[in-house]
Amino acid sequence: MQKALVAMAKDGHCKEFLRVFAAECLSEKDEDHSLEWKEGLDAMSTAQWQHLCEYMRLPLVDLHITACLTCLCWSLRDSLPTSVVFALSDVIVHLHGHLLQATPDAQDAIAQCCEAFWISHASGAEAVIPQLIPYLVVQALDGETVSAVKRLRDVQDALSLLDFEDTSSRYVLLYPFVLSHAFFEAKQVCDPMLYRLVEPMLWRGLSATNDQVRKQAAIVLFQGFPYQKFHLDGNKSASKEDTDALLQKQVDGMLLLVQDTSPATRVVAVHGLAK
């Protein structure tokens, strides 16, 4: 930490500051330098903080290192000047903009920043919800640990910010619901509602560029097959032509999934066809 502070005090060398942080706090060494860094960060001047925050928003700065350092900095917010807290908030919002495109290690660090930002009820925290919720939903669905679900539950109050009439919001909220085993067990009862719910998201999901989205859409397709279309009143079945066309569309989608570029999606397709 002392090397980083010297670099910052000497010429505002933020690149060296982040390099030292990564070497001391993100390496696989046994020593825990977090307390030392908290004390050092607490001693920084407002001008140094502002300079560091401006640097961390630059395009070519490493997102993983920036997110990890920002998380540590945010934990000190109660002892920092208001202007510094606002500057850190800007960094978190900047990181949020890269969440879904970042590398996996950077994604998790950015998500943790966004979660801490939201949970702290900071001003402007709603800005980190649009990408945070989809990321946590996918992690909860794909994860094998309870922690992934807990992280989603910790920010569940943010769901009130989503527009339920917006297709992208419905897409995010639908997956935890339709992947419920009990929901599909009751499929015969709720057919009129089921396809009406999944239709806008299902076909977009199957053609999405994101591997995990296609995989989840494949699960929805196979678990709900065969989907049936009903008239809007929910009482009258669709015509035979419409029913046959929808069935063929589902079969065609399944056959395409067997050739998907993602191995995980192909596994879902093979298992689904084998049932």
Side-chain angles (χ1 to χ4, degrees):
M1 178 62 191
Q2 290 305 314
K3 292 181 181 178
L5 288 176
V6 169
M8 181 67 77
K10 185 177 180 180
D11 54 6
H13 203 319
C14 296
K15 183 177 181 180
E16 177 65 10
F17 191 91
L18 265 67
R19 188 198 67 77
V20 176
F21 170 76
E24 294 187 356
C25 297
L26 303 183
S27 65
E28 297 181 357
K29 297 177 181 178
D30 293 333
E31 301 99 324
D32 183 2
H33 293 276
S34 58
L35 181 58
E36 178 188 350
W37 270 82
K38 285 183 178 181
E39 293 174 350
L41 290 166
D42 238 352
M44 283 172 47
S45 68
T46 299
Q48 288 174 326
W49 272 109
Q50 295 288 357
H51 185 54
L52 177 62
C53 289
E54 289 175 8
Y55 178 81
M56 290 195 294
R57 296 200 305 272
L58 294 178
L60 298 180
V61 178
D62 186 283
L63 292 173
H64 180 224
I65 299 174
T66 297
C68 291
L69 177 57
T70 303
C71 279
L72 185 64
C73 294
W74 188 251
S75 69
L76 303 172
R77 63 189 178 279
D78 291 340
S79 63
L80 298 176
T82 302
S83 60
V84 173
V85 174
F86 284 149
L88 285 172
S89 299
D90 289 341
V91 175
I92 296 175
V93 173
H94 163 76
L95 289 168
H96 165 265
H98 297 277
L99 175 56
L100 299 183
Q101 294 80 36
T103 58
D105 58 344
Q107 280 187 323
D108 194 62
I110 293 171
Q112 289 185 47
C113 269
C114 294
E115 292 165 55
F117 191 40
W118 173 258
I119 292 171
S120 68
H121 303 291
S123 175
E126 65 276 3
V128 302
I129 295 306
Q131 293 194 31
L132 176 62
I133 295 297
Y135 173 79
L136 291 179
V137 167
V138 171
Q139 294 305 306
L141 290 171
D142 278 359
E144 298 180 355
T145 63
V146 177
S147 62
V149 178
K150 182 181 183 301
R151 289 174 67 183
L152 181 59
R153 188 177 65 240
D154 287 344
V155 297
Q156 63 182 341
D157 52 338
L159 295 176
S160 63
L161 298 177
L162 297 176
D163 180 2
F164 285 78
E165 297 303 317
D166 178 69
T167 299
S168 60
S169 295
R170 289 167 62 194
Y171 183 75
V172 169
L173 297 171
L174 178 66
Y175 276 148
F177 179 55
V178 299
L179 291 180
S180 162
H181 182 67
F183 186 79
F184 280 99
E185 284 290 307
K187 179 180 180 298
Q188 297 302 319
V189 178
C190 61
D191 253 334
M193 176 180 66
L194 182 57
Y195 186 65
R196 202 176 304 167
L197 272 174
V198 304
E199 181 182 17
M201 289 71 72
L202 176 60
W203 304 113
R204 287 178 58 190
L206 290 173
S207 60
T209 56
N210 185 285
D211 291 350
Q212 290 184 326
V213 171
R214 291 200 310 280
K215 174 188 171 185
Q216 298 302 334
I219 293 172
V220 171
L221 174 60
F222 283 104
Q223 285 194 315
F225 180 81
Y227 287 102
Q228 299 179 46
K229 185 181 292 186
F230 282 71
H231 285 284
L232 292 178
D233 60 13
N235 296 317
K236 185 179 178 182
S237 297
S239 67
K240 183 178 185 303
E241 291 77 10
D242 286 345
T243 300
D244 289 345
L246 177 57
L247 180 61
Q248 187 61 52
K249 185 176 183 179
Q250 294 173 72
V251 172
D252 291 343
M254 291 175 176
L255 295 177
L256 286 175
L257 288 169
V258 177
Q259 306 171 51
D260 195 273
T261 56
S262 166
T265 302
R266 293 200 300 271
V267 168
V268 171
V270 171
H271 286 177
L273 290 171
K275 289 182 179 180

